[in-house]
Amino acid sequence: MAKSKKVSYISVPSQIINSLSSSSLQSLLVSPKKSSRSSSKFFSFLFKNPRLWFLAFFLFGFIAMLKMGFNLEPLIPFSPNPCGITQSQGMVSAGSLSSHLGVKEDGEKSEFWEQPDGLGYRPCLEFSKEYKQTSLEIVKDRTKYLMVVVSGGMNQQRNQIVDAVVIARILGAALVVPILQVNVIWGDESEFSDIFDMEHFKRVLANEVRIVSSLPSTHLMSRPVEEKRTPLHVSPQWIRARYLKRLRREGVLLLRGLDSRLSKDLPSDLQKLRCKVAFHALRFSQPILELGNKLAERMRSKGPYLALHLRMEKDVWVRTGCLPGLSSQYDEIINNERKLRPELLTARSNMTYHERKLAGLCPLNALEVTRLLKALGAPKSARIYWAGGQPFGGEEALLPLTREFPNFYNKEDLALPGELEPFSKKASFMAAIDYIVCEKSDVFMPSHGGNMGHAIQGHRAYAGHKKYITPNKRQMIPYFLNSPLPEAEFNRVIMELHRDSFGQPELRASKAGRDVTKYPVPECMCNSTSSTHSML
């Protein structure tokens, strides 16, 4: 019985078949008409040998697959429709990869991603001998305990925790892990250990202040000295005079309403302690760190990125006495809300909206942010991460930005399905994720001041003066409102106004009453020209 011949088949993916044009297929199936006899013989030989035909077809398909593979975008979980943009707009262009190398789409070097000169400043937290000697006594003390209740949003709570550690040090008391007050606006019931790495917090500060998870049994029945409202800008001397005697007697002090109450001008060692708490001890909890770092990596996967903190929520417009500028209808809604609740207006109630705008007291809207970024040289391909709550007016409020900068994402766009679900009802978690992605960006810019902007400004300075754009609103707004200048001249003026606003080192000495965690030079950072006392 004759053996049947085995027939081999080569499977070719349908994508390759579809990628070939009809003319390409035809050219494979029909021998081209050539006068050359050798060519005719070759194709005649090819069609008479099926194995060679299949080999040629396989090689052609393999080459097509390779070509397709090199053109595929990395599988990054960006929303196919971020912020209402079409998918084709949302995809990152080849120019974005060029910008990773500091190069514009046309090949010219881009200055937008260049970092400021840090002048050699580096973290410098050497405490005095007297401070170190006192530390030994403080960490051994088991008689005095400070309890604090911190309020507000996550960044506001961070500030109060920093002050709580410093106050505990001033009083020589152990600090009970701060209690996070339930936020009445967001209903966030997170505890300290949900947001921050508690063991890390204790370990980093072990030589400065003793941190305990709860009151020991010896003090549970103590009647705490309670202070609900500390005056503004209190000094270490005031704190000792006010509390130390009663604290020694009762053993427990409970403080509320700490927000920005402690003086910003403290002795050198206490300023360094502030920096140690803010930049070293207050690390986010592991779940927040992991997700925040993932989102930052997804933003960075195709080059550098800009982070914006947009303060465009309804309550921000109401509290600042400003208007969103979307339309008369939206402005009327804000005005009516402010009339119904005048107590929400934070300051300077005697100023009109126009006066506030010219004084630089209003948040930038999306159109103003767009014009500023363009004038500062941000390329159209720039990848932008935006942090903050949903803007008043929704997607319409963001249209100027999304039209000019199509690669525009927030955490919802970047996260895989289900990644944000465990944090969705916890405003502090979401704010912490925003903080991580913003802090890791190549360039950061807030549209308005605030606790998060100030915290990131200090953090980026402490990390080596990473680029931080401070909008010079007071001087640039007149050009935004009534500028007959051609675009090139307008851009030149705006760039000149911001020449010294890119995160260069600023001495806190020139910012009397400012927080050292916003301006860490010279108390917490030094360079080769700094005094020996400040050197590590």
Side-chain angles (χ1 to χ4, degrees):
M1 187 174 181
K3 293 182 179 180
S4 60
K5 291 184 179 181
K6 291 183 179 180
V7 181
S8 299
Y9 295 93
I10 300 174
S11 175
V12 182
S14 61
Q15 292 96 326
I16 296 173
I17 299 295
N18 294 335
S19 70
L20 301 176
S21 65
S22 59
S23 59
S24 299
L25 287 171
Q26 188 68 21
S27 66
L28 287 173
L29 298 174
V30 181
S31 176
K33 296 180 181 179
K34 289 188 179 179
S35 58
S36 171
R37 185 177 298 177
S38 59
S39 297
S40 300
K41 286 182 179 180
F42 172 76
F43 282 104
S44 174
F45 174 75
L46 180 65
F47 279 98
K48 289 179 181 179
N49 292 270
R51 290 184 180 180
L52 287 177
W53 158 250
F54 281 115
L55 178 62
F57 195 76
F58 172 78
L59 289 174
F60 185 87
F62 182 69
I63 292 170
M65 275 197 297
L66 286 177
K67 185 176 185 301
M68 287 175 62
F70 282 116
N71 287 335
L72 287 174
E73 298 282 356
L75 297 177
I76 299 172
F78 291 152
S79 165
N81 188 25
C83 304
I85 312 168
T86 63
Q87 186 171 5
S88 61
Q89 287 176 309
M91 295 299 287
V92 180
S93 66
S96 178
L97 185 59
S98 299
S99 65
H100 180 53
L101 305 174
V103 178
K104 290 182 181 178
E105 294 172 55
D106 59 3
E108 181 186 349
K109 185 177 179 181
S110 171
E111 295 180 0
F112 183 76
W113 303 113
E114 289 183 2
Q115 298 298 311
D117 184 355
L119 302 179
Y121 279 102
R122 63 186 186 281
C124 214
L125 297 181
E126 178 65 20
F127 295 95
S128 68
K129 290 182 180 179
E130 182 184 357
Y131 179 91
K132 291 177 181 177
Q133 289 171 353
T134 309
S135 297
L136 297 174
E137 300 172 11
I138 289 175
V139 296
K140 289 179 182 178
D141 189 284
R142 298 293 187 273
T143 63
K144 303 187 297 294
Y145 292 86
L146 173 64
M147 298 179 67
V148 296
V149 178
V150 298
S151 58
M154 189 276 295
N155 291 289
Q156 196 173 353
Q157 290 173 345
R158 279 175 60 97
N159 293 341
Q160 294 172 59
I161 293 167
V162 171
D163 280 357
V165 173
V166 176
I167 292 172
R169 173 74 194 200
I170 292 169
L171 294 170
L175 175 67
V176 180
V177 170
I179 300 165
L180 309 190
Q181 182 175 310
V182 177
N183 193 294
V184 294
I185 298 176
W186 300 292
D188 192 337
E189 298 180 358
S190 301
E191 297 181 359
F192 184 96
S193 58
D194 295 325
I195 309 299
F196 304 105
D197 186 332
M198 186 162 67
E199 294 309 314
H200 177 81
F201 182 69
K202 292 178 180 179
R203 186 168 55 252
V204 170
L205 298 173
N207 294 329
E208 331 295 331
V209 175
R210 195 164 68 93
I211 312 289
V212 296
S213 300
S214 59
L215 278 176
S217 58
T218 53
H219 287 66
L220 285 177
M221 301 303 292
S222 301
R223 184 180 62 185
V225 179
E226 184 171 359
E227 183 72 54
K228 293 185 178 179
R229 196 69 173 175
T230 305
L232 284 171
H233 312 306
V234 296
S235 66
Q237 293 77 13
W238 187 95
I239 289 171
R240 291 190 190 99
R242 175 83 173 182
Y243 301 124
L244 198 51
K245 187 176 179 179
R246 287 188 290 168
L247 179 56
R248 283 172 177 161
R249 184 178 67 245
E250 303 295 342
V252 181
L253 169 65
L254 173 61
L255 293 181
R256 301 176 184 271
L258 276 182
D259 194 26
S260 299
R261 300 284 150 176
L262 184 61
S263 172
K264 305 303 179 190
D265 300 309
L266 297 174
S268 176
D269 286 321
L270 294 180
Q271 296 288 59
K272 288 182 172 64
L273 178 57
R274 260 187 168 143
C275 291
K276 189 168 184 176
V277 180
F279 304 135
H280 295 277
L282 277 176
R283 186 170 74 183
F284 291 117
S285 62
Q286 198 60 31
I288 292 174
L289 269 182
E290 287 179 0
L291 183 53
N293 288 333
K294 280 181 184 178
L295 300 191
E297 288 167 9
R298 289 167 191 170
M299 280 302 300
R300 187 173 299 287
S301 64
K302 297 178 184 177
Y305 70 94
L306 159 70
L308 294 177
H309 186 210
L310 299 179
R311 305 297 307 282
M312 296 166 55
E313 301 94 330
K314 182 179 179 181
D315 70 293
V316 174
W317 296 117
V318 173
R319 287 188 291 104
T320 56
C322 301
L323 297 174
L326 290 171
S327 68
S328 57
Q329 179 186 357
Y330 284 114
D331 289 349
E332 186 178 355
I333 293 172
I334 296 298
N335 277 326
N336 291 338
E337 185 80 15
R338 197 177 297 126
K339 288 175 184 176
L340 290 173
R341 302 188 64 188
E343 73 278 5
L344 293 179
L345 189 59
T346 50
R348 306 194 191 188
S349 57
N350 59 330
M351 295 178 71
T352 66
Y353 158 63
H354 191 67
E355 290 170 336
R356 287 172 179 273
K357 187 79 172 174
L358 290 176
L361 299 175
C362 291
L364 298 177
N365 60 34
L367 177 59
E368 292 161 344
V369 171
T370 303
R371 294 188 69 191
L372 175 57
L373 290 176
K374 287 181 66 179
L376 296 179
K380 189 177 182 68
S381 62
R383 296 163 54 72
I384 297 178
Y385 178 88
W386 69 277
Q390 286 299 315
F392 180 58
E395 292 181 3
E396 182 184 344
L398 295 173
L399 279 178
L401 272 164
T402 56
R403 284 171 178 162
E404 187 62 35
F405 300 102
N407 301 312
F408 193 75
Y409 310 100
N410 65 5
K411 52 187 171 292
E412 282 79 13
D413 300 318
L414 296 173
L416 290 168
E419 275 187 320
L420 286 176
E421 191 174 343
F423 314 112
S424 60
K425 303 297 182 182
K426 296 182 180 291
S428 293
F429 278 69
M430 303 297 260
I433 290 168
D434 272 344
Y435 189 102
I436 292 170
V437 184
C438 288
E439 199 284 317
K440 288 181 174 293
S441 66
D442 298 270
V443 181
F444 175 80
M445 188 181 86
S447 67
H448 193 52
N451 292 308
M452 179 169 168
H454 293 168
I456 290 182
Q457 179 175 342
H459 210 137
R460 293 176 75 84
Y462 196 74
H465 292 92
K466 294 161 65 179
K467 190 167 185 177
Y468 181 105
I469 300 172
T470 304
N472 191 340
K473 291 187 285 186
R474 186 189 294 269
Q475 290 186 286
M476 76 181 185
I477 288 300
Y479 292 97
F480 277 55
L481 295 177
N482 301 300
S483 178
L485 295 175
E487 185 177 1
E489 180 62 13
F490 173 83
N491 292 348
R492 187 196 66 77
V493 170
I494 297 301
M495 181 66 82
E496 182 62 25
L497 289 177
H498 290 83
R499 187 163 43 89
D500 299 319
S501 302
F502 295 139
Q504 300 93 329
E506 287 189 73
L507 296 178
R508 200 186 75 87
S510 63
K511 305 285 183 182
R514 299 293 181 91
D515 199 328
V516 70
T517 59
K518 182 180 178 183
Y519 298 97
V521 178
E523 287 97 336
C524 301
M525 301 186 75
C526 57
N527 60 18
S528 57
T529 62
S530 300
S531 64
T532 305
H533 178 72
S534 299
M535 296 290 285
L536 281 172

